Amino acid sequence: MTAMETSLLDDVHYVSDLGDFIVPATLRVVSDLRIADHLRDGPRKVTELAELTGAHPRALLRALRVLAARGIFRETDPENFELTRRAQLLRGDHPFSLRDGLTLLSCDVEAFARFDHSVRTNEASFDHVHGEGYWEWMSRHPDESARFDATQQGATRLELRASFAAYDWSELGSIADIGGGNGAFLAGLLSRYRSLKGCLFDLPHVVEGAPRILDKAGVTERCEIRGGSFFEAVPAGYDAYLMKRILYSWPDDKVRAVLRTVRAAMREDSRMLLIEPMETPGNAREPGKVYDLLMLALGGGSARSEDHLAALFDEAGLRLERVVPTLMYPIVEARPR
Ligand SMILES: C[S@@+](CC[C@H](N)C(=O)[O-])C[C@H]1O[C@@H](n2cnc3c(N)ncnc32)[C@H](O)[C@@H]1O
């Protein structure tokens, strides 16, 4: 084969890998089976891995070979696999673990099967496919909802590290985490800052999972748990109102409504803190660009520019004060105007 043919073939593999859904689905299933955790202490036979995880040995072998061909796992001897550097990221105990964020949620996959609807209309393909919004659907599917909450918890570990380094949380006496899921971020914040008091606010069926997480972190006494909707009312009078990965999952009209509710609960000296991907123009490879599309498909939402957020804040009686970059997503700070 000539050098030109080899490079063309490389491009063909690259583009077809990007275009398929087989490799991503395989990666997610293998990650969910916790194969990488079972390989932590060294290589193992596929038959042993299959027995440990309840997988079919032949099917698991085929799946691991597909991933090994892409640098995740290595077949050292026939049917014997070990971790590669990249596969370490699928271990649950890795500081940058991706394992719990890679759950294959079938409702998301079904929405993406009709992503053409979103690209044509700029609206959620999820609602188009399922006939209702993401959170209504989740409230009727408790198993998927619990799996979703666990994916959020996985990402939160990285976000905690990034935001501790970038922002001075010690200035705050109290903080309400609005749409805080099962409380993983707030638990991390309260265990680091021992005089901080917190309030976890999310939909009633979501906060049901919080006591266990807050208890495990030893912060139960300093944290109130409130179930409700941020379109109606949120608890009043906290120093800070955090919304992590909330606004970007909604279209502008819904964002206006959430901002109005939260602004009504704030004191004149409270601050609002957003942590979420912002719009990233140009060719840079930013994870925020991909999540922007995820939000479009699942909720008709969007990553927004600083100017766009500033205008939405302004309408709600808030002023965007600053955008603090972190190693993950920026922290956007706003105050009543
Ligand atoms: C993308 S998740 C982010 C969770 C958490 N803030 C985090 O970053 O891990 C969005 C959260 O918004 C919550 N949510 C959706 N609709 C809500 C509503 N009307 N009122 C309160 N919370 C809501 C969901 O239950 C979910 O926990």
Side-chain angles (χ1 to χ4, degrees):
M1 218 169 11
T2 65
M4 212 165 106
E5 283 166 338
T6 313
S7 124
L8 178 61
L9 204 58
D10 240 26
D11 290 348
V12 168
H13 287 317
Y14 181 80
V15 176
S16 56
D17 260 6
L18 278 182
D20 88 29
F21 50 82
I22 305 159
V23 179
T26 308
L27 179 66
R28 283 172 180 250
V29 170
V30 166
S31 164
D32 249 7
L33 286 173
R34 308 189 166 201
I35 297 292
D37 293 313
H38 291 297
L39 291 175
R40 190 182 50 197
D41 299 325
R44 274 183 147 148
K45 282 276 178 209
V46 168
T47 44
E48 200 186 340
L49 290 170
E51 201 168 316
L52 285 164
T53 58
H56 185 284
R58 172 89 189 130
L60 182 60
L61 171 65
R62 292 152 73 189
L64 290 178
R65 280 187 174 152
V66 163
L67 297 178
R70 284 152 181 88
I72 303 170
F73 305 109
R74 184 183 302 110
E75 190 167 6
T76 52
D77 297 305
E79 304 192 12
N80 199 62
F81 286 85
E82 70 176 6
L83 294 176
T84 57
R85 184 169 47 85
R86 286 183 171 147
Q88 301 281 354
L89 293 170
L90 302 182
R91 280 172 49 180
D93 60 352
H94 191 285
F96 293 103
S97 176
L98 297 175
R99 188 191 69 188
D100 297 331
L102 289 180
T103 307
L104 190 68
L105 295 175
S106 46
C107 60
D108 292 8
V109 177
E110 282 156 14
F112 269 96
R114 288 307 317 273
F115 189 48
D116 62 306
H117 174 81
S118 291
V119 175
R120 284 181 220 285
T121 61
N122 203 35
E123 287 170 7
S125 57
F126 189 96
D127 302 38
H128 180 66
V129 169
H130 294 282
E132 62 187 333
Y134 200 72
W135 308 111
E136 291 95 77
W137 190 93
M138 281 292 176
S139 69
R140 293 188 306 98
H141 295 83
D143 290 350
E144 287 289 277
S145 178
R147 276 155 56 84
F148 172 85
D149 291 339
T151 65
Q152 302 303 293
Q153 206 176 330
T156 289
R157 252 190 293 179
L158 296 182
E159 289 162 346
L160 273 172
R161 285 171 76 103
S163 54
F164 284 160
Y167 194 81
D168 185 9
W169 302 88
S170 69
E171 286 178 1
L172 301 172
S174 65
I175 183 164
D177 190 355
I178 306 297
N182 60 14
F185 189 85
L186 195 55
L189 209 53
L190 295 183
S191 42
R192 166 96 175 219
Y193 296 96
R194 311 300 301 180
S195 57
L196 186 61
K197 292 199 171 68
C199 173
L200 175 70
F201 182 87
D202 205 298
L203 294 167
H205 73 276
V206 175
V207 295
E208 271 171 24
R212 193 179 50 83
I213 286 164
L214 298 174
D215 196 44
K216 196 163 163 218
V219 300
T220 304
E221 275 93 74
R222 285 184 287 125
C223 191
E224 206 187 324
I225 301 177
R226 300 275 292 274
S229 169
F230 49 48
F231 292 115
E232 286 159 22
V234 302
Y238 285 83
D239 291 349
Y241 283 80
L242 171 67
M243 286 191 276
K244 183 164 81 64
R245 290 190 280 106
I246 301 295
L247 298 188
Y248 85 139
S249 57
W250 296 96
D252 281 359
D253 57 332
K254 298 283 188 192
V255 168
R256 287 188 186 95
V258 179
L259 288 177
R260 268 198 305 274
T261 321
V262 179
R263 171 66 185 91
M266 291 169 77
R267 299 189 312 254
E268 287 314 299
D269 63 344
S270 302
R271 65 184 85 168
M272 182 182 285
L273 299 170
L274 309 183
I275 302 182
E276 63 178 31
M278 290 175 73
E279 189 183 358
T280 42
N283 298 316
R285 187 176 172 170
E286 290 282 340
K289 275 185 179 154
V290 177
Y291 291 120
D292 178 38
L293 291 189
L294 182 67
M295 292 306 117
L296 169 59
L298 303 186
S302 165
R304 297 178 171 88
S305 67
E306 186 171 336
D307 287 348
H308 192 162
L309 281 175
L312 290 166
F313 282 139
D314 192 53
E315 286 179 49
L318 292 153
R319 187 178 54 244
L320 191 152
E321 293 275 313
R322 58 185 179 134
V323 178
V324 182
T326 84
L327 287 174
M328 292 281 289
Y329 306 128
I331 302 178
V332 182
E333 190 179 290
R335 305 220 182 215
R337 60 175 165 82

